[in-house]
Amino acid sequence: MIVKEKPKAFYDTFERKGAGEKVTHYCPGCGHGTAHKLIAEVLAEMEIQDRTIFLSPVGCSVFAYYYMDTGNIQCAHGRAPAVGTGIRRTRKDAILISYQGDGDLAAIGTAEIIHAANRGENLTVFFINNAIYGMTGGQMAPTTLEGQKTLTTPLGRSPGRDGHPIGMSEVMASLKTPVFIERVSLSTPGKVLKARKVFRKALENQVDRKGFSFVEVLSPCPINWKMDPVEARKWMQDQLEPLYPVQNFRDHSEIPTPADDTLPFLNDAALIELLQTGGSVPEPPSTSEKLEQRVKIAGFGGQGVLSAGVLLANYVLARGYQATWLPSYGPEMRGGKANASVIFSTREIGSPVVAHPNVLIALNTPSLVSFEQDVQPGGLILVNSSLIKEKVSRKDVEVLEIPASEMAREGGVLATANIIMLTIYLKHRDLADIRILKGILPGSVKRKEAVDLNLRMIDRALEYYERMFS
Amino acid sequence: MSENVKQLIKGNEAAVYGALMGGATHFFGYPITPASEIAQGAARYFTLAGRHFLQAESEVAVINMLYGSAAAGARVMTASSGPGMSLMAEGLSYIAGAELPCVVVDVQRAGPGLGNIWPEQSDYNITVKGGGHGNYKSIVLAPHSAQELCDFTYQAFELADRYRITVIILADAYIGQMMEPVEIPGIVLQGQRKDWALYGDRESRGNLVTSILMDPQLQSEHNWMLQDKYEQIAREFCLWDEVETEDAEYLFVAYGITSRICHSAVEELRSKGIKAGLLRPQTLTPFPQKRLKELASTGRTIISAELSNGMMAEDVDRIFAGKAECERFCWLGGIIPSVQDIVERVGTLARGGTL
Ligand code: SF4
């Protein structure tokens, strides 16, 4: 079908050159005009113009939005597939056309095109391959032929220096996800008509939500090839098409459409409930006395150092105190050492950093060695005497030695030494409300079957405290 | 559930809660320490709540997904840290040029380069002064607690929509990693239809989202319009907090984790009889310069305290234009000052010594 009138998906005038001027900004004989026209015709024919959002690239076709009477968005160089992904995830019914040149898609934007294709974004990409950079005046593109002279390959492209030309359709075909991949050419009227069918197919796939369709369009750039339009088309047939075979690489459009990815709906009340899971309304503080505890819990990874800190912070929060918890995190967390700083206070907490704890819970020897000297005079050090044979050398602090690891082992699980130390600390400082502590604990223990055991350890610790220290 | 429910969560997680309550519908992310929990939390909670989460191939892709999604009318966000912010600079500039509303949480770590994962406040210049190419600004909010990370993120979407601007929540590794009690806002917000956005429908067909204006005259008009907008924001919206400022002879200016430490230092100094105070900018752009000028007019010593080489101090200096004395307390590389360190330095100043 030869259409004589201007396609309805085109604007009537190209405002860029001043209102009313009916001239295109492309050079004579350029393939962009043809490609635009095919797209505009198909959009009108398929009656999807209202739903279409055209993604303009950086390059000669940067002003595509002056032609396409559709929704339009201009994208940073190479990023159209990412921009398209953003729109796709927002507007399921929009028809998205990513129109990209070879600098845009095959050079700066390779990561974006490959990953959008690999995710199977439901969009249609028209990749205009003219083997050169157009807009910036004819530099080498990733698609430039071996030996081809450009401004930046004055002696001709050398594979040794510049690499071989990239066949993007072939690269795309190495991915599993794309639904449709085809290379077409605009070198002859017959091939243009063939291209039109492929364009339509690539858009139909999108309407049917099939996924990612990729059409590589071999297109002339007479200006930068330094040829007239007729020579340019001959060169395409003689040089370009042998290197970039015009063919279908994949058509999976008959395979059933992937399952719908609709997410669940959550109303406001349910959202609030979800976000408040695990929270509680704090009790008013039981004492009006000013109190501030700066607790450092230290040991090696696996001793439940961080989780003991979280349990403590949750407990004091439930009791109406202000609280902060700060971990040692990052690489050192993955190594042997771990420590958590917990501050709780009757007043607003400034620095969450515990440089000088008034309570140190040391679960292993290195922790005692590292932090003993930092403890404030008059402070409290709880020593896990099962693992720490050294004695605290400071005379100006209070020391409680607790064979926590032994008690934990006797109780059945070594990892509960942290709960034992914590309970004794709270008891000793007269801060233990066992009902609240036991109420908080299940939320802090990851393995549900360990909850009962941990609860029993609290009792065991209390019993030990009564026997040894009171 | 009743209101006033408090829960102990990480600052990073609080940002996710604030975002969901603030009506964010889309999160695009790429993991980076110390911001990763935001993407992880978003993956979990956005998905459970029927919103959209996607992990992209890079920060470059992330910010362009934000660009697309915001252009399509969504309330969008991401979170990152220094190296990721550098990669996003290009997209942030396009977003500014096209005037799209976006929310970005930057949990700062030490740089330059890969640096380390401990806190610095050295993304100040790239967030407060633009960061990408071109004459643009973002709104920059600086939380000092998990609660503020929640509240600022909540508020950010309304601000972003109102002014068609990027709102950056500039936290730091400690504020993001520490756990504190957080109460979520009571009401779930949501955005309205935007007459300039691309909905892929008949009504919005004529819309164009772009940042190119080839004609210097038009580009100039556009850029001046943006400057007017930034000035309007400065007039309408500026937040800060004060601690014992009225009679302070030593006034700290600090934000984020540093402000928490200075707050403790103020209490300690006061207990020693030294009159210290704290001005804590909650918005870094716009900066509370009017209030700072007022406070500085009475001849006190201003101390700009930050985990950078003095990026904020330069702004503070400029505000005084030599009319007040401004000391700089700076820490780099992930070093966190102790309260004691600050107290001693001020003590030295108070005794007439030099640092
Ligand atoms: S430079 Fe080449 S691609 Fe660009 S408009 Fe001219 S002919 Fe077309």
Side-chain angles (χ1 to χ4, degrees), chain A residues 293-297 306 308-310 312-314 316 323-326 340-344 352 354 358-359:
Chain A
Q293 294 281 284
R294 291 189 298 283
V295 184
K296 175 87 86 184
I297 309 174
L306 299 183
V310 174
L312 175 60
N314 265 313
V316 298
T324 60
W325 170 95
L326 189 66
S341 301
V342 176
I343 302 179
F344 60 99
V354 175
N358 48 24
V359 179

PDB file of all heavy atoms in Angstrom, chain A residues 293-297 306 308-310 312-314 316 323-326 340-344 352 354 358-359:
ATOM      1  N   GLN A 293      21.507   5.101  80.407  1.00  0.00           N
ATOM      2  CA  GLN A 293      22.398   3.951  80.343  1.00  0.00           C
ATOM      3  C   GLN A 293      23.016   3.903  78.949  1.00  0.00           C
ATOM      4  O   GLN A 293      22.314   3.961  77.941  1.00  0.00           O
ATOM      5  CB  GLN A 293      21.602   2.662  80.600  1.00  0.00           C
ATOM      6  CG  GLN A 293      21.053   2.556  82.003  1.00  0.00           C
ATOM      7  CD  GLN A 293      22.114   2.117  83.011  1.00  0.00           C
ATOM      8  OE1 GLN A 293      22.471   0.950  83.071  1.00  0.00           O
ATOM      9  NE2 GLN A 293      22.629   3.041  83.806  1.00  0.00           N
ATOM     10  N   ARG A 294      24.346   3.836  78.953  1.00  0.00           N
ATOM     11  CA  ARG A 294      25.051   3.690  77.669  1.00  0.00           C
ATOM     12  C   ARG A 294      25.717   2.324  77.671  1.00  0.00           C
ATOM     13  O   ARG A 294      26.703   2.112  78.370  1.00  0.00           O
ATOM     14  CB  ARG A 294      26.055   4.822  77.488  1.00  0.00           C
ATOM     15  CG  ARG A 294      25.376   6.180  77.284  1.00  0.00           C
ATOM     16  CD  ARG A 294      26.365   7.264  76.884  1.00  0.00           C
ATOM     17  NE  ARG A 294      27.352   7.448  77.935  1.00  0.00           N
ATOM     18  CZ  ARG A 294      27.134   8.105  79.069  1.00  0.00           C
ATOM     19  NH1 ARG A 294      25.946   8.640  79.304  1.00  0.00           N
ATOM     20  NH2 ARG A 294      28.083   8.220  79.959  1.00  0.00           N
ATOM     21  N   VAL A 295      25.111   1.421  76.929  1.00  0.00           N
ATOM     22  CA  VAL A 295      25.482   0.005  77.013  1.00  0.00           C
ATOM     23  C   VAL A 295      26.250  -0.413  75.775  1.00  0.00           C
ATOM     24  O   VAL A 295      25.825  -0.128  74.646  1.00  0.00           O
ATOM     25  CB  VAL A 295      24.217  -0.873  77.135  1.00  0.00           C
ATOM     26  CG1 VAL A 295      24.599  -2.340  77.329  1.00  0.00           C
ATOM     27  CG2 VAL A 295      23.322  -0.389  78.266  1.00  0.00           C
ATOM     28  N   LYS A 296      27.377  -1.068  75.979  1.00  0.00           N
ATOM     29  CA  LYS A 296      28.112  -1.658  74.860  1.00  0.00           C
ATOM     30  C   LYS A 296      28.074  -3.169  75.041  1.00  0.00           C
ATOM     31  O   LYS A 296      28.471  -3.678  76.089  1.00  0.00           O
ATOM     32  CB  LYS A 296      29.555  -1.143  74.879  1.00  0.00           C
ATOM     33  CG  LYS A 296      30.474  -1.743  73.855  1.00  0.00           C
ATOM     34  CD  LYS A 296      30.434  -1.013  72.531  1.00  0.00           C
ATOM     35  CE  LYS A 296      31.385   0.180  72.495  1.00  0.00           C
ATOM     36  NZ  LYS A 296      31.239   0.916  71.217  1.00  0.00           N
ATOM     37  N   ILE A 297      27.550  -3.863  74.039  1.00  0.00           N
ATOM     38  CA  ILE A 297      27.532  -5.327  74.076  1.00  0.00           C
ATOM     39  C   ILE A 297      28.507  -5.793  73.009  1.00  0.00           C
ATOM     40  O   ILE A 297      28.377  -5.406  71.843  1.00  0.00           O
ATOM     41  CB  ILE A 297      26.136  -5.892  73.769  1.00  0.00           C
ATOM     42  CG1 ILE A 297      25.086  -5.208  74.657  1.00  0.00           C
ATOM     43  CG2 ILE A 297      26.093  -7.395  73.957  1.00  0.00           C
ATOM     44  CD1 ILE A 297      23.653  -5.595  74.329  1.00  0.00           C
ATOM     45  N   LEU A 306      24.365  -8.407  68.241  1.00  0.00           N
ATOM     46  CA  LEU A 306      23.486  -7.378  67.673  1.00  0.00           C
ATOM     47  C   LEU A 306      22.042  -7.610  68.109  1.00  0.00           C
ATOM     48  O   LEU A 306      21.322  -6.678  68.455  1.00  0.00           O
ATOM     49  CB  LEU A 306      23.594  -7.362  66.140  1.00  0.00           C
ATOM     50  CG  LEU A 306      24.979  -7.037  65.580  1.00  0.00           C
ATOM     51  CD1 LEU A 306      24.944  -6.979  64.061  1.00  0.00           C
ATOM     52  CD2 LEU A 306      25.527  -5.727  66.131  1.00  0.00           C
ATOM     53  N   ALA A 308      20.986  -9.130  70.803  1.00  0.00           N
ATOM     54  CA  ALA A 308      20.800  -8.795  72.213  1.00  0.00           C
ATOM     55  C   ALA A 308      20.585  -7.293  72.358  1.00  0.00           C
ATOM     56  O   ALA A 308      19.750  -6.838  73.157  1.00  0.00           O
ATOM     57  CB  ALA A 308      22.008  -9.226  73.022  1.00  0.00           C
ATOM     58  N   GLY A 309      21.308  -6.529  71.559  1.00  0.00           N
ATOM     59  CA  GLY A 309      21.138  -5.074  71.568  1.00  0.00           C
ATOM     60  C   GLY A 309      19.740  -4.678  71.131  1.00  0.00           C
ATOM     61  O   GLY A 309      19.110  -3.801  71.732  1.00  0.00           O
ATOM     62  N   VAL A 310      19.258  -5.340  70.085  1.00  0.00           N
ATOM     63  CA  VAL A 310      17.913  -5.036  69.594  1.00  0.00           C
ATOM     64  C   VAL A 310      16.873  -5.391  70.650  1.00  0.00           C
ATOM     65  O   VAL A 310      15.926  -4.631  70.902  1.00  0.00           O
ATOM     66  CB  VAL A 310      17.623  -5.799  68.277  1.00  0.00           C
ATOM     67  CG1 VAL A 310      16.176  -5.602  67.849  1.00  0.00           C
ATOM     68  CG2 VAL A 310      18.566  -5.325  67.170  1.00  0.00           C
ATOM     69  N   LEU A 312      17.300  -5.502  73.879  1.00  0.00           N
ATOM     70  CA  LEU A 312      17.382  -4.512  74.952  1.00  0.00           C
ATOM     71  C   LEU A 312      16.683  -3.220  74.547  1.00  0.00           C
ATOM     72  O   LEU A 312      15.892  -2.652  75.309  1.00  0.00           O
ATOM     73  CB  LEU A 312      18.859  -4.241  75.298  1.00  0.00           C
ATOM     74  CG  LEU A 312      19.114  -3.130  76.314  1.00  0.00           C
ATOM     75  CD1 LEU A 312      18.447  -3.445  77.644  1.00  0.00           C
ATOM     76  CD2 LEU A 312      20.620  -2.897  76.513  1.00  0.00           C
ATOM     77  N   ALA A 313      16.979  -2.764  73.319  1.00  0.00           N
ATOM     78  CA  ALA A 313      16.379  -1.499  72.865  1.00  0.00           C
ATOM     79  C   ALA A 313      14.858  -1.618  72.780  1.00  0.00           C
ATOM     80  O   ALA A 313      14.124  -0.703  73.174  1.00  0.00           O
ATOM     81  CB  ALA A 313      16.970  -1.112  71.509  1.00  0.00           C
ATOM     82  N   ASN A 314      14.382  -2.747  72.289  1.00  0.00           N
ATOM     83  CA  ASN A 314      12.932  -2.954  72.214  1.00  0.00           C
ATOM     84  C   ASN A 314      12.300  -2.978  73.600  1.00  0.00           C
ATOM     85  O   ASN A 314      11.218  -2.443  73.813  1.00  0.00           O
ATOM     86  CB  ASN A 314      12.637  -4.279  71.500  1.00  0.00           C
ATOM     87  CG  ASN A 314      12.376  -4.070  70.017  1.00  0.00           C
ATOM     88  OD1 ASN A 314      11.619  -3.176  69.632  1.00  0.00           O
ATOM     89  ND2 ASN A 314      13.008  -4.874  69.181  1.00  0.00           N
ATOM     90  N   VAL A 316      13.449  -1.547  76.412  1.00  0.00           N
ATOM     91  CA  VAL A 316      13.408  -0.236  77.078  1.00  0.00           C
ATOM     92  C   VAL A 316      12.429   0.705  76.362  1.00  0.00           C
ATOM     93  O   VAL A 316      11.811   1.570  76.986  1.00  0.00           O
ATOM     94  CB  VAL A 316      14.807   0.408  77.196  1.00  0.00           C
ATOM     95  CG1 VAL A 316      15.705  -0.455  78.046  1.00  0.00           C
ATOM     96  CG2 VAL A 316      15.436   0.685  75.845  1.00  0.00           C
ATOM     97  N   ALA A 323      15.362   5.470  73.068  1.00  0.00           N
ATOM     98  CA  ALA A 323      16.391   4.451  72.845  1.00  0.00           C
ATOM     99  C   ALA A 323      17.063   4.615  71.490  1.00  0.00           C
ATOM    100  O   ALA A 323      16.439   5.054  70.527  1.00  0.00           O
ATOM    101  CB  ALA A 323      15.771   3.058  72.939  1.00  0.00           C
ATOM    102  N   THR A 324      18.350   4.296  71.447  1.00  0.00           N
ATOM    103  CA  THR A 324      19.042   4.176  70.156  1.00  0.00           C
ATOM    104  C   THR A 324      19.851   2.888  70.161  1.00  0.00           C
ATOM    105  O   THR A 324      20.330   2.450  71.210  1.00  0.00           O
ATOM    106  CB  THR A 324      20.026   5.329  69.889  1.00  0.00           C
ATOM    107  OG1 THR A 324      21.019   5.328  70.922  1.00  0.00           O
ATOM    108  CG2 THR A 324      19.341   6.674  69.870  1.00  0.00           C
ATOM    109  N   TRP A 325      19.993   2.308  68.978  1.00  0.00           N
ATOM    110  CA  TRP A 325      20.800   1.092  68.802  1.00  0.00           C
ATOM    111  C   TRP A 325      21.701   1.342  67.606  1.00  0.00           C
ATOM    112  O   TRP A 325      21.231   1.772  66.557  1.00  0.00           O
ATOM    113  CB  TRP A 325      19.868  -0.082  68.533  1.00  0.00           C
ATOM    114  CG  TRP A 325      20.514  -1.374  68.102  1.00  0.00           C
ATOM    115  CD1 TRP A 325      20.854  -2.422  68.898  1.00  0.00           C
ATOM    116  CD2 TRP A 325      20.838  -1.791  66.762  1.00  0.00           C
ATOM    117  NE1 TRP A 325      21.382  -3.441  68.136  1.00  0.00           N
ATOM    118  CE2 TRP A 325      21.385  -3.082  66.831  1.00  0.00           C
ATOM    119  CE3 TRP A 325      20.717  -1.178  65.508  1.00  0.00           C
ATOM    120  CZ2 TRP A 325      21.818  -3.789  65.703  1.00  0.00           C
ATOM    121  CZ3 TRP A 325      21.151  -1.877  64.387  1.00  0.00           C
ATOM    122  CH2 TRP A 325      21.690  -3.176  64.501  1.00  0.00           C
ATOM    123  N   LEU A 326      22.978   1.124  67.810  1.00  0.00           N
ATOM    124  CA  LEU A 326      23.920   1.364  66.715  1.00  0.00           C
ATOM    125  C   LEU A 326      24.836   0.154  66.593  1.00  0.00           C
ATOM    126  O   LEU A 326      25.475  -0.232  67.557  1.00  0.00           O
ATOM    127  CB  LEU A 326      24.726   2.627  67.006  1.00  0.00           C
ATOM    128  CG  LEU A 326      25.620   3.165  65.889  1.00  0.00           C
ATOM    129  CD1 LEU A 326      24.804   3.662  64.707  1.00  0.00           C
ATOM    130  CD2 LEU A 326      26.475   4.322  66.423  1.00  0.00           C
ATOM    131  N   ALA A 340      27.417  -3.903  69.608  1.00  0.00           N
ATOM    132  CA  ALA A 340      26.239  -3.056  69.463  1.00  0.00           C
ATOM    133  C   ALA A 340      26.240  -2.046  70.597  1.00  0.00           C
ATOM    134  O   ALA A 340      26.609  -2.378  71.724  1.00  0.00           O
ATOM    135  CB  ALA A 340      24.976  -3.908  69.523  1.00  0.00           C
ATOM    136  N   SER A 341      25.874  -0.822  70.267  1.00  0.00           N
ATOM    137  CA  SER A 341      25.756   0.220  71.282  1.00  0.00           C
ATOM    138  C   SER A 341      24.278   0.528  71.486  1.00  0.00           C
ATOM    139  O   SER A 341      23.570   0.800  70.519  1.00  0.00           O
ATOM    140  CB  SER A 341      26.447   1.507  70.812  1.00  0.00           C
ATOM    141  OG  SER A 341      27.803   1.246  70.546  1.00  0.00           O
ATOM    142  N   VAL A 342      23.854   0.453  72.717  1.00  0.00           N
ATOM    143  CA  VAL A 342      22.460   0.817  73.022  1.00  0.00           C
ATOM    144  C   VAL A 342      22.473   1.914  74.072  1.00  0.00           C
ATOM    145  O   VAL A 342      23.166   1.808  75.079  1.00  0.00           O
ATOM    146  CB  VAL A 342      21.666  -0.398  73.556  1.00  0.00           C
ATOM    147  CG1 VAL A 342      20.255   0.020  73.958  1.00  0.00           C
ATOM    148  CG2 VAL A 342      21.630  -1.506  72.517  1.00  0.00           C
ATOM    149  N   ILE A 343      21.757   2.971  73.786  1.00  0.00           N
ATOM    150  CA  ILE A 343      21.583   4.011  74.796  1.00  0.00           C
ATOM    151  C   ILE A 343      20.111   4.055  75.138  1.00  0.00           C
ATOM    152  O   ILE A 343      19.267   3.990  74.229  1.00  0.00           O
ATOM    153  CB  ILE A 343      22.021   5.395  74.272  1.00  0.00           C
ATOM    154  CG1 ILE A 343      23.487   5.346  73.837  1.00  0.00           C
ATOM    155  CG2 ILE A 343      21.809   6.467  75.332  1.00  0.00           C
ATOM    156  CD1 ILE A 343      23.999   6.664  73.296  1.00  0.00           C
ATOM    157  N   PHE A 344      19.792   4.126  76.405  1.00  0.00           N
ATOM    158  CA  PHE A 344      18.406   4.466  76.727  1.00  0.00           C
ATOM    159  C   PHE A 344      18.376   5.488  77.830  1.00  0.00           C
ATOM    160  O   PHE A 344      19.267   5.549  78.678  1.00  0.00           O
ATOM    161  CB  PHE A 344      17.541   3.239  76.987  1.00  0.00           C
ATOM    162  CG  PHE A 344      17.974   2.353  78.113  1.00  0.00           C
ATOM    163  CD1 PHE A 344      17.361   2.457  79.353  1.00  0.00           C
ATOM    164  CD2 PHE A 344      18.937   1.380  77.916  1.00  0.00           C
ATOM    165  CE1 PHE A 344      17.724   1.614  80.389  1.00  0.00           C
ATOM    166  CE2 PHE A 344      19.305   0.542  78.942  1.00  0.00           C
ATOM    167  CZ  PHE A 344      18.708   0.652  80.188  1.00  0.00           C
ATOM    168  N   PRO A 352      24.340   8.924  69.416  1.00  0.00           N
ATOM    169  CA  PRO A 352      24.045   7.504  69.624  1.00  0.00           C
ATOM    170  C   PRO A 352      25.321   6.681  69.802  1.00  0.00           C
ATOM    171  O   PRO A 352      25.260   5.478  70.006  1.00  0.00           O
ATOM    172  CB  PRO A 352      23.354   7.108  68.319  1.00  0.00           C
ATOM    173  CG  PRO A 352      24.002   7.985  67.291  1.00  0.00           C
ATOM    174  CD  PRO A 352      24.316   9.294  67.985  1.00  0.00           C
ATOM    175  N   VAL A 354      28.430   5.192  71.558  1.00  0.00           N
ATOM    176  CA  VAL A 354      28.831   4.905  72.934  1.00  0.00           C
ATOM    177  C   VAL A 354      30.355   4.818  72.985  1.00  0.00           C
ATOM    178  O   VAL A 354      30.933   3.772  72.744  1.00  0.00           O
ATOM    179  CB  VAL A 354      28.181   3.602  73.444  1.00  0.00           C
ATOM    180  CG1 VAL A 354      28.710   3.244  74.828  1.00  0.00           C
ATOM    181  CG2 VAL A 354      26.670   3.753  73.492  1.00  0.00           C
ATOM    182  N   ASN A 358      28.616   3.157  80.282  1.00  0.00           N
ATOM    183  CA  ASN A 358      28.568   2.907  81.728  1.00  0.00           C
ATOM    184  C   ASN A 358      28.185   1.464  82.007  1.00  0.00           C
ATOM    185  O   ASN A 358      28.141   1.042  83.139  1.00  0.00           O
ATOM    186  CB  ASN A 358      27.705   3.917  82.493  1.00  0.00           C
ATOM    187  CG  ASN A 358      26.364   4.142  81.858  1.00  0.00           C
ATOM    188  OD1 ASN A 358      25.865   3.296  81.128  1.00  0.00           O
ATOM    189  ND2 ASN A 358      25.760   5.287  82.150  1.00  0.00           N
ATOM    190  N   VAL A 359      27.915   0.714  80.918  1.00  0.00           N
ATOM    191  CA  VAL A 359      27.725  -0.732  81.045  1.00  0.00           C
ATOM    192  C   VAL A 359      28.438  -1.421  79.886  1.00  0.00           C
ATOM    193  O   VAL A 359      28.214  -1.077  78.732  1.00  0.00           O
ATOM    194  CB  VAL A 359      26.230  -1.108  80.992  1.00  0.00           C
ATOM    195  CG1 VAL A 359      26.069  -2.627  81.101  1.00  0.00           C
ATOM    196  CG2 VAL A 359      25.454  -0.403  82.089  1.00  0.00           C
TER     197      VAL A 359
END
